[in-house]
């Protein structure tokens, strides 16, 4: 096997067939361990906000052979999470909304947690593909050893394991974006039809994962081309050859995307008579241009649902989304939201390894590692303009590129300093400490009170109610007040009878409250000039924390002044 000139010399000498087999075995072992740890969480957590609706959309695609509930998200991730329930007998009920359809699917299930586990298992496909993408990118940076260490680092990031264990669409992009970037790298190295088709298919999968890829992909490609241009490493092809390759790329991408939408040919304007308010701001509400554009929107054509979905995602961005950071709320977020989240959600040891890897990549003029660094930075820069600031899950693919740098640091610096070994031990320890609460894990910078920084899907997605029930049962508590932020049916819990805690009503007895209800909803109320509905709980020291997101208070025989 021949290595690019950017490979360190020691990688060339240590990558014989025997060593490659050893490192391949190490890679497979860490992927298997990661998968087992993910699977161990499937039945522990209640359904989160989005899971039932994602399952409903996937089951609709598989059972009814249609995709109509929502266009703002493409179908790839939803098909994966709907596959397990569908194979176990779940079917489309014909409900008018995805929320009602999700409820109907769960109501039909003979075992609630079995169906939820089957849906969550769908993301194992993307977990394995994400590890493959990290391995392919890292192998090009320094051989099999770097690839193995990069995959190991990737599987030790708690938030990665957390989102890989949920039945949501976020992890599909974590898998497909690195694969698309790798396909561009090898395509630029060997510009032929085979690699053009590979790049087209991989890019299509990224698009089918999430429409935020339309922001990330161009930025990553621009970063890659700039670096190749500066190194004078762009392919030299005739205009005819470039056109041929572009056609192969475009046709492959088009066909893969169209297949995911079952080769539908439909108009954008559905249902008939629908108005597009955002579009009307630009073209007006009447006149020949308005009439022409709306007539075109009624013409059936392939992939119209992608264009429709992009429009809906753009409308969502314009409308904004309620976000919470440092005790404040904003409809359109903050430019520094994702950098802050990456700073507090990423293990400190991993950040140090990735930073050392970036230094090594630049110092050694490692071309492929520098490209991964540029791709990750491009993603972060794109995220600064986002007005939908609801979780680190929206920039989760950054970890794949950072893991490449971490793997490079481990291999290149291990013989030279004990620091790398200490960081590896700290990373493993942090991951073990996080189990099984990977989704809501924070590093030491959060100071043990992450709810004062963020809530939402980074901390409280409604997942921890079973932990609250087990904690109360262990203390012999038969009933408790509950202020719960989630969609999970509280009536499924056994052993504790919950009574809904009214807002602005201090009570006595046992109280279980989601941190989102106390902090996020409190900040929303303050922003409107209203009293915080559960603000009175802030002045009371909780008896315990159930999971990571539910605070439990023992207020028996304690007089609480009513407001």
């Amino acid at each position: 096997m021949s290595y690019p000139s950017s490979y360190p010399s020691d990688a060339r000498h240590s990558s014989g067939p025997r060593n490659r087999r050893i490192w391949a075995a190490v890679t497979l072992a860490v992927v298997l361990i990661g998968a087992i740890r993910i699977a161990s969480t499937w039945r522990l957590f209640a359904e989160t906000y989005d899971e039932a609706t994602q399952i409903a959309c996937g089951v609709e695609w598989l059972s009814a052979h249609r995709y109509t509930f929502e266009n703002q998200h493409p179908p790839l991730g939803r098909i994966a999470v709907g596959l397990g329930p569908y194979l176990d007998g779940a079917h489309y009920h014909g409900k008018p909304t995805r929320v009602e359809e999700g409820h109907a699917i769960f109501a039909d299930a003979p075992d609630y947690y079995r169906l939820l586990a089957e849906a969550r298992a769908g993301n194992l496909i993307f977990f394995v593909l994400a590890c493959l993408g990290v391995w392919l990118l890292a192998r090009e940076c320094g051989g099999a050893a770097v690839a193995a260490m990069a995959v190991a680092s990737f599987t030790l990031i708690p938030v990665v394991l957390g989102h890989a264990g949920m039945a949501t669409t976020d992890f599909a992009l974590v898998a497909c974006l690195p694969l698309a970037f790798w396909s561009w790298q090898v395509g630029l190295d060997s510009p032929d039809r085979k690699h053009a088709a590979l790049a087209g298919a991989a890019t299509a999968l990224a698009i089918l994962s999430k429409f935020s890829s339309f922001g990330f992909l161009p930025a990553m490609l621009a970063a890659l081309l700039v670096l190749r241009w500066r190194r004078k490493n762009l392919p030299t092809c005739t205009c005819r050859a470039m056109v041929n390759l572009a056609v192969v790329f475009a046709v492959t991408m088009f066909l893969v995307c169209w297949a995911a939408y079952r080769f539908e040919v439909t108009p954008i304007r559905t249902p008939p008579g629908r108005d597009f308010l955002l579009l009307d701001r630009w073209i007006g509400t009447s006149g020949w241009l308005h009439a022409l554009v709306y007539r075109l929107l009624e013409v059936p054509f392939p992939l119209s649902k992608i264009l429709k979905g992009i429009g809906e995602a753009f409308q969502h961005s314009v409308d904004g989304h309620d976000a919470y950071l440092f005790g404040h709320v904003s409809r359109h977020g903050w430019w520094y939201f994702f950098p802050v989240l990456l700073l507090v959600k990423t293990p400190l040891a991993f950040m140090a390894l990735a930073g050392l890897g970036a230094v090594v990549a630049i110092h050694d003029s490692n071309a492929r590692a520098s490209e991964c660094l540029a791709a990750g930075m491009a993603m972060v820069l794109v995220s600064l303009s986002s007005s939908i600031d609801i979780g680190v899950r929206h920039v989760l693919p950054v970890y794949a590129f950072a893991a490449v740098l971490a793997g490079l640091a481990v291999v290149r610096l291990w013989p030279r300093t004990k620091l790398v070994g200490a960081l590896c031990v700290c990373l493993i320890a942090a991951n073990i400490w996080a189990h099984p609460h990977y989704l809501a894990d924070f590093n030491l910078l959060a100071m043990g009170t992450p709810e004062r920084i963020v809530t939402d899907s980074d901390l409280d997605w409604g997942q921890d109610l079973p932990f609250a029930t087990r904690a109360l049962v262990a203390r012999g508590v038969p009933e408790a007040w509950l202020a719960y932020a989630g969609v999970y049916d509280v009536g499924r819990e056994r052993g504790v009878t919950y009574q809904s805690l009214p807002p602005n009503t201090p009570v006595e007895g046992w109280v279980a409250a989601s941190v989102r209800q106390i902090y996020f909803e409190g900040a929303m109320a303050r922003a409107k000039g209203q009293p915080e509905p559960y603000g009175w709980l802030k002045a009371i020291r909780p008896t315990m924390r159930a999971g990571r997101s539910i605070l439990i208070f023992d207020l028996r025989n304690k007089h609480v002044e009513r407001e």
Side-chain angles (χ1 to χ4, degrees):
M1 180 176 179
S2 61
Y3 291 94
S5 59
S6 61
Y7 280 18
S9 59
D10 56 337
R12 298 191 196 102
H13 295 150
S14 64
S15 296
R18 183 171 178 276
N19 281 334
R20 288 200 297 272
R21 286 195 295 270
I22 291 172
W23 288 117
V26 170
T27 304
L28 291 174
V30 297
V31 173
L32 179 60
I33 292 170
I36 291 172
R37 298 182 75 193
I38 291 168
S40 71
T41 68
W42 289 339
R43 288 176 172 264
L44 297 180
F45 298 102
E47 68 180 274
T48 61
Y49 265 95
D50 294 344
E51 288 184 287
T53 60
Q54 311 295 14
I55 295 168
C57 294
V59 169
E60 181 199 27
W61 192 96
L62 292 160
S63 176
H65 311 297
R66 47 187 279 184
Y67 190 71
T68 61
F69 279 134
E70 186 202 39
N71 295 299
Q72 189 177 162
H73 293 87
L76 186 62
R78 288 169 162 176
I79 295 170
V81 301
L83 183 60
Y86 170 71
L87 293 176
D88 195 26
H91 62 278
Y92 177 63
H93 293 77
K95 299 296 182 180
T97 69
R98 65 186 189 277
V99 173
E100 294 172 275
E101 183 68 27
H103 289 162
I105 291 172
F106 273 112
D108 263 1
D111 184 335
Y112 170 86
Y113 276 104
R114 186 178 78 183
L115 183 140
L116 193 56
E118 289 167 346
R120 289 170 172 173
N123 262 332
L124 274 187
I125 300 169
F126 296 118
F127 175 73
V128 173
L129 285 177
C131 291
L132 174 62
V134 171
W135 187 85
L136 289 170
L137 288 170
R139 184 190 59 170
E140 300 296 328
C141 297
V146 172
M149 292 298 99
V151 173
S153 301
F154 182 71
T155 62
L156 288 171
I157 304 170
V159 71
V160 166
L161 299 183
H163 283 286
M166 294 294 161
T168 54
T169 61
D170 302 294
F171 214 83
L173 190 62
V174 183
C176 296
L177 209 59
L179 288 173
F181 190 76
W182 171 79
S183 73
W184 298 342
Q185 288 180 314
V186 297
L188 290 173
D189 288 338
S190 304
D192 54 36
R193 291 183 178 180
K194 178 182 71 174
H195 287 100
L198 174 66
T203 304
L205 291 177
I207 292 171
L208 292 168
S209 300
K210 217 163 189 182
F211 288 139
S212 57
S213 59
F214 282 107
F216 294 140
L217 288 171
M220 294 164 60
L221 180 58
L224 176 62
L225 293 176
V226 167
L227 287 179
R228 294 286 178 112
W229 173 76
R230 290 192 64 182
R231 295 197 307 267
K232 297 180 172 56
N233 194 27
L234 289 172
T236 55
C237 301
T238 64
C239 289
R240 182 175 182 179
M242 290 181 65
V243 170
N244 286 337
L245 295 177
V247 169
V248 171
F249 173 87
V251 169
T252 305
M253 183 171 65
F254 174 83
L255 290 176
V256 172
C257 287
W258 197 17
Y261 283 91
R262 294 187 174 276
F263 299 105
E264 287 184 343
V265 180
T266 56
I268 292 179
R269 195 182 187 193
T270 52
R274 175 189 175 186
D275 290 327
F276 296 86
L277 302 180
L278 189 61
L279 182 62
D280 288 347
R281 294 183 191 177
W282 298 341
I283 64 173
T285 57
S286 61
W288 69 269
L289 181 59
H290 178 273
L292 175 63
V293 170
Y294 270 71
R295 180 67 187 92
L296 292 175
L297 294 176
E298 294 172 351
V299 176
F301 61 91
L303 294 183
S304 61
K305 285 187 176 177
I306 284 188
L307 295 179
K308 193 173 181 179
I310 294 171
E312 291 179 7
F314 183 66
Q315 180 70 62
H316 189 180
S317 179
V318 171
D319 294 341
H321 196 108
D322 290 332
Y324 172 93
L325 184 67
F326 293 126
H328 301 283
V329 292
S330 171
R331 186 66 184 173
H332 290 87
W334 305 265
W335 68 267
Y336 48 86
F337 180 83
F338 289 108
V340 168
L341 255 62
L342 290 169
L343 190 63
V344 298
K345 292 287 288 181
T346 307
L348 296 176
F350 179 83
M351 280 196 285
L353 287 172
L356 289 172
V359 173
V360 169
I362 296 171
H363 179 268
D364 291 352
S365 299
N366 190 314
R368 288 299 178 85
S370 298
E371 290 169 0
C372 289
L373 172 61
M377 292 177 63
M379 288 189 61
V380 174
L381 289 174
V382 168
S383 74
L384 302 183
S385 63
S386 173
S387 61
I388 305 175
D389 293 348
I390 55 176
V392 74
R393 58 195 176 96
H394 285 186
V395 292
L396 211 58
V398 168
Y399 287 113
F401 297 96
V404 173
L405 300 174
L408 182 64
V410 171
V411 173
R412 294 291 288 138
L413 299 179
W414 184 280
R416 304 177 187 179
T417 175
K418 294 181 181 179
L419 174 62
V420 170
L423 290 174
C424 290
V425 171
C426 290
L427 180 57
I428 294 170
N431 191 267
I432 294 172
W433 175 261
H435 182 82
H437 303 284
Y438 301 121
L439 183 75
D441 186 64
F442 286 77
N443 63 34
L444 294 176
L445 297 179
M447 302 296 290
T449 54
E451 58 272 16
R452 298 183 183 277
I453 304 172
V454 294
T455 57
D456 218 318
S457 58
D458 294 303
L459 176 60
D460 185 1
W461 223 1
Q463 77 276 7
D464 281 334
L465 188 59
F467 288 87
T469 300
R470 286 194 285 272
L472 291 170
V473 168
R475 291 188 171 231
V477 179
E479 58 183 13
W481 296 96
L482 178 65
Y484 176 56
V487 295
Y488 173 63
D489 183 2
V490 177
R492 295 184 184 276
E493 292 300 285
R494 297 291 180 265
V496 178
T497 300
Y498 289 110
Q499 186 174 351
S500 179
L501 178 62
N504 303 306
T505 309
V507 297
E508 294 184 358
W510 286 91
V511 173
S514 299
V515 293
R516 179 185 171 95
Q517 291 292 83
I518 299 173
Y519 290 89
F520 189 112
E521 298 303 327
M524 289 288 292
R526 286 199 313 271
K528 298 174 183 177
Q530 301 171 354
E532 297 183 33
Y534 304 102
W536 60 275
L537 287 170
K538 288 183 179 180
I540 304 171
R541 184 182 181 87
T543 305
M544 71 181 86
R545 184 183 287 256
R548 298 291 176 88
S549 66
I550 295 184
L551 303 180
I552 296 179
F553 303 84
D554 181 2
L555 304 181
R556 293 172 299 172
N557 304 318
K558 293 182 181 179
H559 177 68
V560 182
E561 290 191 11
R562 297 177 180 271
E563 295 183 356

